């Protein structure tokens, strides 16, 4: 009973993932903030839905086209700037700035944008069920062939990593108190790694077993690293595994001063050449750096770039709550450039991807110097995972868009793939043979988010897409 209460407390407080039922509650958001969903060429959208109606805000470029379609919803279209041509019943309707058009239910209509900078506000009644359920398919999406790597019927995959010789590893997300914490995917099956004995197997956490790991990565020396948040044990540990011997090579404990109990260190980047680890703490927003030779760690915190932005996380037209209020989650994705000289990071609830010279941490620069060196590299969606390739491209999970975005080496953000199968793409990893691996787990449907029952629809997956 004591352990059960402890886990419930972990779920409710340490993870901070509590959401009231979104169907009937009052909903407020701010469309002037946050990123836009790229729906089609020249078409960007923000939308919100209640139980009885849906509202959408569109930005359109000249030439953008919404193909002929119909829906059972009455639609009221208000053009606030620019102009569009709407074809209905064989007749052209030109709607200019200030114009309003009412489209009856089940009426086939087609949109053409006539001017750059066109803004369209649409109101639908009843609610757009096809948008909520992802069945609307009349606008072409940026699609790619998605391959299933592994299927999980009773647990959710957490983070994923791929070795230099193509072995695939995954943590099991600590939500749900899984019996196993780290697995290797062999012929599509999740096999405990490196052994069953190191898994919790339903037992209390101990120094001899894993506790609540999440972030994993493979370094340039083909060593597997895993950060164990220790949410039950109260100790944060960094594990290193020898993939030639399939054994634990090292376990590094963080002091309570660096990672106090309740810390949520869930993302890690390794510079094997210089012997440094960089970790992100989302509970007490900060960057933890660790000299892997001396085992000396330091914490950088307090800077505005580490904090959540005041922007809502929207999925399926609804605001996602943490702790009973709109989510505001700080630094989570953290990556290194291929040469190890630049550290990149951003907040989950953030639209900015930052960069800072990694040598400042290695040289033990003071916080003012580090803070002054932080620069914006580009925009990002609200995301839970990022992978940076050797060419300087950043692949980012887009939680609200069921998609992966790409921020190129020049800082230009674009939509790389959209697929309804990417229902909370939690984490991504690059493989040497040119694939992007994606862990998909519907995390926002867990009781810790919903505040009630698990609304997830198994199975959950690890996918891969050819770059």
């Amino acid at each position: 009973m004591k352990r059960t209460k402890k886990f419930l407390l972990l779920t409710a407080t340490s993870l901070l993932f509590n959401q009231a039922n979104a169907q009937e509650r009052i909903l407020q958001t701010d469309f002037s903030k946050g990123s836009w969903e790229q729906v089609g060429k020249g078409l960007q959208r923000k939308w919100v839905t209640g139980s009885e109606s849906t509202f959408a805000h569109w930005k359109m470029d000249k030439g953008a086209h919404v193909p002929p379609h119909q829906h059972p919803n009455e639609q009221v279209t208000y053009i606030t700037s620019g102009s569009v041509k709407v074809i209905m019943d064989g007749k052209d309707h030109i709607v200019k700035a200030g114009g309003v058009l009412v489209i009856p239910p089940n009426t086939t209509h087609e949109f053409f944008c006539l001017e750059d900078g066109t803004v369209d506000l649409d109101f639908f009644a009843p609610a757009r069920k096809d948008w909520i359920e992802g069945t609307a398919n009349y606008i072409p999406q940026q699609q790619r062939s998605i391959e299933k790597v592994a299927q999980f019927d009773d647990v959710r995959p957490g983070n994923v990593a791929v070795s230099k010789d193509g072995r695939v590893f995954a943590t099991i997300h600590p939500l749900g108190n899984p019996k196993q914490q780290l697995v290797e995917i062999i012929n599509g099956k999740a096999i405990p790694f490196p052994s069953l004995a190191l898994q919790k197997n339903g037992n209390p956490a101990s120094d001899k077993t894993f506790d609540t790991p999440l972030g994993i990565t493979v370094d340039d020396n083909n060593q597997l690293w895993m950060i164990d948040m220790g949410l039950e044990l109260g100790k944060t540990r960094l594990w290193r595994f020898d993939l030639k011997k399939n054994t634990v090579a090292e376990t590094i404990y963080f002091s309570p001063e660096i990672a106090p109990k309740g810390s949520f260190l869930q993302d890690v980047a390794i510079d094997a050449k210089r012997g440094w680890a960089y970790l992100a703490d989302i509970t007490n927003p900060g960057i933890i750096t660790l000299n892997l030779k001396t085992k000396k760690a330091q914490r950088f915190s307090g800077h505005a770039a580490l904090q959540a932005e005041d922007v809502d996380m929207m999925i399926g037209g609804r605001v996602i709550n943490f702790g009973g209020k709109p989510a505001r989650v700080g630094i989570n994705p953290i990556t290194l450039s291929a040469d190890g000289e630049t550290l990149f990071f951003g907040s989950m609830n953030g639209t900015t991807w930052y960069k800072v010279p990694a040598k400042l941490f290695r040289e033990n620069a003071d916080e003012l110097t580090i803070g002054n060196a932080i620069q914006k590299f580009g925009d990002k969606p609200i995301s839970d995972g990022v992978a940076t390739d050797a060419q300087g491209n950043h692949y980012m999970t887009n939680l609200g868009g069921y998609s992966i975005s790409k921020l190129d080496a020049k800082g230009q953000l674009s939509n790389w793939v959209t697929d309804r199968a990417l229902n909370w793409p939690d984490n991504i990893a690059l493989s040497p043979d040119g694939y992007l691996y994606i862990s998909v787990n519907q995390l926002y449907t867990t009781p810790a988010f919903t505040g009630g029952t698990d609304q997830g629809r198994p199975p959950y997956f690890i996918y891969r897409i050819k770059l």
Side-chain angles (χ1 to χ4, degrees):
M1 178 63 71
K2 182 178 179 181
R3 182 172 170 275
T4 300
K5 289 182 178 178
K6 184 182 290 185
F7 181 74
L8 290 175
L9 180 63
L10 157 69
T11 302
T13 59
S14 296
L15 294 179
L16 300 178
F17 289 162
N18 294 298
Q19 180 182 353
N21 188 305
Q23 187 69 23
E24 300 296 338
R25 63 181 165 86
I26 295 172
L27 187 155
Q28 180 177 352
T29 190
D30 188 344
F31 277 0
S32 70
K33 301 176 182 178
S35 57
W36 292 78
E37 177 187 359
Q38 191 72 41
V39 178
K41 185 177 181 181
L43 288 169
Q44 293 181 294
R45 175 181 70 180
K46 293 183 179 182
W47 64 286
V48 66
T49 192
S51 58
E52 303 296 332
S53 61
T54 297
F55 177 77
H57 182 189
W58 297 84
K59 290 198 307 185
M60 303 181 183
D61 297 333
K62 183 177 182 180
H65 175 223
V66 179
H69 66 286
Q70 61 173 273
H71 40 72
N73 320 77
E74 182 175 65
Q75 174 177 341
V76 179
T77 291
Y78 173 36
I79 302 300
T80 62
S81 63
S83 59
V84 298
K85 178 174 72 173
V86 184
I87 301 177
M88 288 189 294
D89 297 329
K91 181 180 179 181
D92 292 353
H93 300 264
I94 305 300
V95 188
K96 299 181 179 180
V100 177
L101 182 68
V102 178
I103 302 174
N106 302 309
T107 301
T108 300
H109 52 287
E110 181 177 11
F111 271 71
F112 293 89
C113 180
L114 304 179
E115 299 179 47
D116 284 334
T118 293
V119 175
D120 173 9
L121 305 181
D122 287 342
F123 177 81
F124 303 91
R128 285 296 297 264
K129 185 177 180 181
D130 57 340
W131 286 9
I132 296 169
E133 297 180 351
T135 57
N137 57 9
Y138 52 87
I139 300 177
Q141 300 294 312
Q142 180 63 52
Q143 294 184 326
R144 299 174 186 268
S145 177
I146 297 180
E147 300 178 41
K148 182 177 73 174
V149 176
Q151 175 176 313
F152 300 80
D153 296 321
D154 53 2
V155 295
R156 288 173 165 88
N159 285 193
V160 61
V162 185
S163 70
K164 303 304 179 185
D165 49 354
R167 297 170 65 183
V168 180
F169 302 90
T171 50
I172 304 301
H173 206 286
L175 285 178
N177 195 24
K179 292 183 178 181
Q180 299 173 10
Q181 286 69 47
L182 176 62
V183 298
E184 180 177 3
I185 306 303
I186 301 176
N187 297 324
K189 303 295 183 181
I191 308 300
F193 181 86
S195 68
L196 184 61
L198 278 168
Q199 317 296 322
K200 284 173 71 173
N201 296 310
N203 298 313
S206 75
D207 289 281
K208 297 180 180 180
T209 63
F210 304 141
D211 184 1
T212 48
L214 193 53
I216 54 173
T217 189
V218 174
D219 68 20
D220 289 339
N221 294 331
N222 207 33
Q223 300 278 296
L224 177 67
W225 296 81
M226 179 180 75
I227 182 65
D228 189 334
M229 299 176 289
L231 297 178
E232 182 181 345
L233 188 63
K235 301 175 183 178
T236 300
R237 295 170 289 175
L238 182 63
W239 299 74
R240 178 170 63 89
F241 303 91
D242 186 327
L243 295 184
K244 291 182 179 179
K245 299 178 180 179
N246 292 329
T247 58
V248 175
E250 186 177 20
T251 306
I252 303 170
Y253 284 76
F254 289 87
S255 70
E257 292 74 26
I258 296 296
K261 187 174 182 178
S263 295
F264 204 103
L265 277 67
Q266 73 152 30
D267 212 0
V268 57
I270 301 293
D271 181 354
K273 180 180 178 180
R274 298 171 182 82
W276 282 82
Y278 304 84
L279 306 101
D281 182 358
I282 69 173
T283 301
N284 306 298
I287 296 173
I288 310 299
T289 54
L290 173 68
N291 185 321
L292 296 172
K293 298 175 183 177
T294 66
K295 305 301 184 287
K296 182 179 180 181
Q298 59 185 10
R299 169 183 281 269
F300 169 72
S301 58
H303 195 277
L306 305 170
Q307 312 301 319
E309 296 176 22
D310 186 22
V311 55
D312 289 332
M313 179 187 298
M314 303 285 295
I315 300 178
R318 296 188 174 101
V319 176
I320 302 301
N321 279 12
F322 287 5
K325 57 185 179 181
R328 295 294 184 268
V329 182
I331 180 173
N332 177 9
I334 188 168
T335 69
L336 273 173
S337 59
D339 62 6
E341 291 295 350
T342 305
L343 188 68
F344 298 96
F345 67 92
S347 294
M348 178 188 288
N349 274 87
T351 58
T352 304
W353 191 234
Y354 294 100
K355 66 176 183 177
V356 61
K359 70 176 182 179
L360 295 180
F361 297 97
R362 299 195 303 266
E363 295 174 354
N364 198 29
D366 59 63
E367 291 199 345
L368 179 62
T369 300
I370 295 173
N372 288 337
I374 294 174
Q375 296 180 339
K376 177 179 178 179
F377 180 77
D379 296 327
K380 64 175 283 291
I382 292 179
S383 54
D384 200 3
V386 178
T388 300
D389 69 14
Q391 290 72 45
N393 300 303
H394 307 266
Y395 295 89
M396 304 172 161
T397 65
N398 186 332
L399 299 179
Y402 299 90
S403 60
I404 304 296
S405 299
K406 178 181 177 180
L407 181 66
D408 68 22
K410 297 181 179 179
Q412 297 299 310
L413 184 67
S414 62
N415 186 48
W416 188 70
V417 61
T418 297
D419 197 297
R420 192 69 182 189
L422 303 178
N423 192 359
W424 192 287
D426 191 304
N427 174 255
I428 49 183
L430 298 164
S431 68
D433 57 348
Y435 280 90
L436 187 72
Y437 284 73
I438 312 166
S439 171
V440 178
N441 59 21
Q442 303 175 37
L443 197 64
Y444 69 103
T445 65
T446 61
F449 275 90
T450 66
T453 61
D454 193 326
Q455 298 174 10
R457 297 181 179 179
Y460 312 103
F461 297 96
I462 292 176
Y463 295 115
R464 72 174 189 174
I465 304 175
K466 188 68 176 178
L467 293 170

